[in-house]
Structure formats: C-alpha cells, structure tokens
Amino acid sequence: MTAAQSSSDPSLRRYLEHPRGGPTVLRIVLGTQLRRLREGAGITREAAGEAIRGSHAKISRLELGRVSCKERDVADLLTLYHVTDEAVRDDFLKLARRTSSPGWWHQYNDVLPGWFETHIGLEEAASVIRTYEVQFVPGLLQTPDYARAVAQLGHPRSSPEEIERRVQLRVQRQELLTVSDAPRVWAVIDEASLRRPLGGPEVMAGQLRHLLTMAGLPNVTLQIAPFSLGGLAAAGGPITILRFLEPDLPDIVYLEQLTSALYLDKRDDVDHYLAVMDRLSAQSESPRESLAILERLLKQED
C-alpha cells in the first residue's frame, strides 16, 4: 500500500463532509479517484472489468462518472488496486452509496430528460457558469412567465400540468444563484433573443425587468451581443462552460441540442470553446452598456 493510500484522500473527505452537486458530481469524483488508483497500480481497464464481472467499457463509464457505483464493485476494485486501509476503503464505500442517492431534481423525472439531469447536477456544483444564448434568455435568468412560453414552444403536445412542472423545475434550478456559495454566472445574450416577443409584450417586459434585477447580483455578469456585430465567434447554437473549484472535476462544455446534449471535457475541446467564449465576451457590449440596452428595450416594451 502506498503512502497516498494510507490516509483518506482530501477530495473524498471534502465531498463526504460538504457534499455539493448531488450524485452527478459525486460519481465523477469517485470515478476519477478510482481511475488514479487503477493507473497507479498499473492495471488495465480490461483487468479491472473482469474483477467486477464486467467489461472495460463498464470501467470506462464508471471512471467518467456516467453511472452510479455498486458498493460491491468498488470494494472489489479497491482490493484489486491494493487499497487495504480500512479508513480509506470506508470513505470510498460511503461515497459509492451517495452516488445512488437521488438529487432534488429527481422529483421532476416525469418531465426531465435523462441527458439534462447531468447538466443540473454539474450546475449545482459549478463555481463559474459561462453561457452564450442565441434564441432564448438563459434558463437560469428566465422569469416563470417567460419559462412557460419557452416550454409551450418546445413541447406543444404537453398538457398544462406538464408545462407547469417544467416551469417549476426551472424556477427551482434558479435558487442556486442566491445561496451563500452561489456560482458566478457570466452570460452573453444575443440581442435577437431580447427582441423576439416570446409570450407577448407583457411577458417580455417582465423578463427585461428581471434581467436588470439579476444583473445587480454580485455574482451575475450580463453582456449583450448586439445586431451591429454581424457575425459572431460562436457561429451557431448556445454554449455553456462549467468550471469547478474541485481539482477532480475538469471544465465541462455543455452543448444543448433539440433532443439531446453533448458534454465535452477533453482539454483541446474545452480550450477551443473557452477561446470562443472569450472572443464573444470581447466582441459584446460591456456590462454597463448592456444594462443601458436593456433599459432602452424595456422602454420600447412599456
């Protein structure tokens, strides 16, 4: 047993004592730690898969945090990786148990697609959320009335009850903006989304007033990408980049599509999108001028 295995890992201890982000983040932290142990022991994914009666693909999914971990599998992997210290094993097994605990958003499973659950879990744990939106106001900054109009547009066959459930989910997500350790949100919004009368003039006026209020929060930075820019660096759909304080969690790029989403964490991909976001921010109006634009748009709506 190595010295690193003879005492509880700080990352595991932090998440056991101060869990944040629900099972999604806990799975990533646990998977990362198990990958480090496997690589340190010089064991292949194939051999690890055989030890838990699975395949190398199962080990890959486990190490990436894509699936929850059975305690038995974690115990067998720890034995394979020569981790014998009972305190260390106990921390790993406690964390494995917590990866199966449902997050608050599971109460909305009837209207929540599986590909979006991961995003909510990551959002809960992020320290910085940078986002660029083309068609809509970012979900974290939407009013209930605006969110309702978005839900009705995207789910025209849903019942009124299902629409309200989607609105409730969006509103509950927004609570993370005002907690004591709230993430910093840096949003670039295309002017087109602010001029599109989604829900009608009254709804848009309320949304514009809400953006002005949210921009007053110390952890929210708002920029508008005006029509006058012409082409933009993003040249396409919305982008969200999530950054975490925990070193075991890499920056993640979230690209939402109509019925699915991509999650990118490879360094080259992340660096590319970070550069795109930096160019967007440099091209867009300053936060001060963006507030002035919102006020002018609001006068047009009133």
Side-chain angles (χ1 to χ4, degrees):
M1 182 175 59
T2 68
Q5 296 165 2
S6 63
S7 61
S8 186
D9 187 280
S11 296
L12 296 184
R13 179 55 53 192
R14 280 195 296 274
Y15 271 91
L16 287 170
E17 294 176 350
H18 305 286
R20 179 177 174 180
T24 303
V25 169
L26 298 181
R27 287 198 299 265
I28 295 173
V29 171
L30 179 59
T32 300
Q33 293 293 327
L34 289 173
R35 175 181 56 77
R36 288 177 179 170
L37 289 174
R38 178 182 60 77
E39 292 174 347
I43 294 171
T44 65
R45 286 195 179 94
E46 287 76 10
E50 290 177 5
I52 60 170
R53 303 150 295 280
S55 64
H56 73 281
K58 179 177 180 179
I59 293 296
S60 180
R61 289 193 299 272
L62 189 154
E63 291 181 350
L64 290 171
R66 304 281 168 78
V67 294
S68 59
C69 313
K70 296 179 180 178
E71 285 186 66
R72 176 188 173 186
D73 289 346
V74 173
D76 289 346
L77 288 174
L78 292 174
T79 299
L80 180 66
Y81 303 156
H82 314 299
V83 178
T84 57
D85 185 287
E86 287 303 320
V88 176
R89 292 177 66 91
D90 186 55
D91 280 350
F92 270 95
L93 295 176
K94 284 179 181 176
L95 197 57
R97 284 194 292 274
R98 293 188 184 181
T99 65
S100 300
S101 300
W104 63 260
W105 50 89
H106 281 237
Q107 64 185 299
Y108 295 101
N109 274 351
D110 55 324
V111 294
L112 179 62
W115 52 265
F116 193 64
E117 284 188 44
T118 301
H119 178 65
I120 295 179
L122 294 172
E123 198 174 62
E124 288 274 312
S127 60
V128 179
I129 301 171
R130 298 184 67 180
T131 185
Y132 167 66
E133 275 288 352
V134 185
Q135 185 173 3
F136 303 116
V137 169
L140 288 175
L141 302 175
Q142 294 177 4
T143 64
D145 286 340
Y146 185 92
R148 187 173 295 108
V150 172
Q152 290 169 339
L153 181 65
H155 305 277
R157 296 193 183 97
S158 291
S159 68
E161 292 76 20
E162 289 173 330
I163 294 296
E164 288 309 307
R165 294 277 289 159
R166 296 179 194 279
V167 174
Q168 291 167 12
L169 169 62
R170 185 144 300 185
V171 170
Q172 192 162 350
R173 273 177 62 204
Q174 296 169 356
E175 292 179 6
L176 72 89
L177 294 183
T178 52
V179 297
S180 58
D181 55 348
R184 180 188 173 196
V185 174
W186 186 355
V188 177
I189 306 175
D190 197 284
E191 184 178 351
S193 66
L194 301 176
R195 291 189 176 276
R196 185 174 293 110
L198 190 63
E202 189 173 332
V203 170
M204 282 306 302
Q207 180 61 67
L208 292 170
R209 282 192 290 269
H210 184 65
L211 286 174
L212 286 166
T213 298
M214 297 305 291
L217 293 176
N219 57 311
V220 175
T221 299
L222 192 60
Q223 291 183 269
I224 294 174
F227 286 141
S228 58
L229 285 178
L232 288 171
I239 302 168
T240 297
I241 303 175
L242 302 114
R243 173 161 289 177
F244 309 89
L245 291 176
E246 175 55 57
D248 282 344
L249 295 173
D251 292 352
I252 293 177
V253 175
Y254 171 74
L255 304 174
E256 186 170 321
Q257 301 168 342
L258 191 60
T259 57
S260 62
L262 295 176
Y263 294 87
L264 310 177
D265 61 6
K266 291 183 179 178
R267 191 69 256 173
D268 288 347
D269 290 334
V270 172
D271 286 346
H272 171 73
Y273 280 97
L274 280 171
V276 168
M277 194 68 81
D278 286 342
R279 289 199 299 275
L280 276 169
S281 298
Q283 290 175 320
S284 299
E285 298 292 354
S286 69
R288 182 186 296 273
E289 179 56 31
S290 294
L291 292 182
I293 292 174
L294 286 173
E295 289 170 350
R296 290 197 293 271
L297 290 172
L298 183 56
K299 287 180 181 178
Q300 294 173 17
E301 292 288 346
D302 287 342

